[in-house]
């Protein structure tokens, strides 16, 4: 692991939501990741529901949380914030893709050698890939 790149201050990471940022993988693909604050630190995951991986958990304004779990608004899947394990929904038992981070001197650093920090906020949407209407009753 490297020293890392600063992503945000710990204070910027919400307790009951997420802080969105962008990463680039070894293939040059840019993706979204999200930070969330736990009682004992901060954790980061790729911003993808494990039911349909093109669905974003954080739609750009922070992911909803309920009883310490991240909630996918599309299919009501719930993921434990501390482990990423899906406890309810169509992907029950699946685990969010965690990204390596470290906290130092009040800041959060991306230290995962598989990713490079690109910037804050969402990837610019070029279509409707972040939503799904498969949960809509006709």
């Amino acid at each position: 692991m490297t020293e890392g790149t600063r992503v945000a201050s710990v204070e910027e990471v919400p307790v009951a939501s997420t802080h969105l940022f962008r990463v680039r993988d070894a293939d040059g693909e840019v993706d979204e990741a999200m930070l969330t604050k736990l009682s004992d630190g901060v954790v980061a995951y790729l911003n993808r529901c494990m039911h349909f991986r093109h669905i974003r958990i954080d739609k750009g304004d922070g992911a909803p949380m309920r009883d310490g779990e991240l909630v996918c608004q599309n299919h009501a899947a719930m993921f434990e914030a501390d482990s990423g394990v899906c406890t309810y929904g169509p992907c029950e038992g699946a685990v969010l893709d965690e990204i390596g981070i470290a906290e130092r001197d009040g800041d959060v650093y991306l230290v995962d050698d598989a990713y490079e920090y690109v910037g804050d906020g969402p990837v610019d949407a070029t279509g409707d890939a972040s939503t799904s209407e498969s949960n809509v009753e006709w």
Side-chain angles (χ1 to χ4, degrees):
M1 293 232 170
T2 62
E3 290 294 312
T5 304
R6 184 185 179 282
V7 175
S9 72
V10 173
E11 288 184 7
E12 291 176 274
V13 182
V15 173
S17 188
T18 54
H19 176 88
L20 196 60
F21 66 103
R22 296 181 312 282
V23 293
R24 179 178 293 114
D25 67 17
D27 295 328
E29 296 294 319
V30 175
D31 204 348
E32 294 176 1
M34 55 188 175
L35 298 171
T36 193
K37 194 179 291 183
L38 308 172
S39 61
D40 61 348
V42 177
V43 66
Y45 300 106
L46 286 181
N47 186 24
R48 296 186 170 279
C49 180
M50 299 312 289
H51 180 222
F52 289 132
R53 292 185 53 85
H54 70 283
I55 300 295
R56 306 295 185 175
I57 295 173
D58 181 333
K59 306 260 188 225
D61 56 357
M65 290 187 78
R66 180 176 177 198
D67 298 328
E69 296 188 321
L70 297 162
V71 179
C72 175
Q73 298 173 68
N74 287 88
H75 304 102
M78 296 180 70
F79 300 88
E80 292 177 341
D82 61 348
S83 68
V85 173
C86 181
T87 61
Y88 176 82
C91 54
E92 190 169 347
V95 181
L96 294 174
D97 296 318
E98 189 169 356
I99 294 180
I101 58 166
E103 292 178 56
R104 288 192 307 273
D105 302 321
D107 290 319
V108 179
Y109 292 84
L110 175 65
V111 296
D112 195 317
D113 290 334
Y115 297 98
E116 170 188 353
Y117 177 75
V118 175
D120 264 354
V123 172
D124 291 325
T126 57
D128 204 18
S130 67
T131 62
S132 169
E133 294 182 357
S134 65
N135 61 331
V136 177
E137 299 277 335
W138 296 102

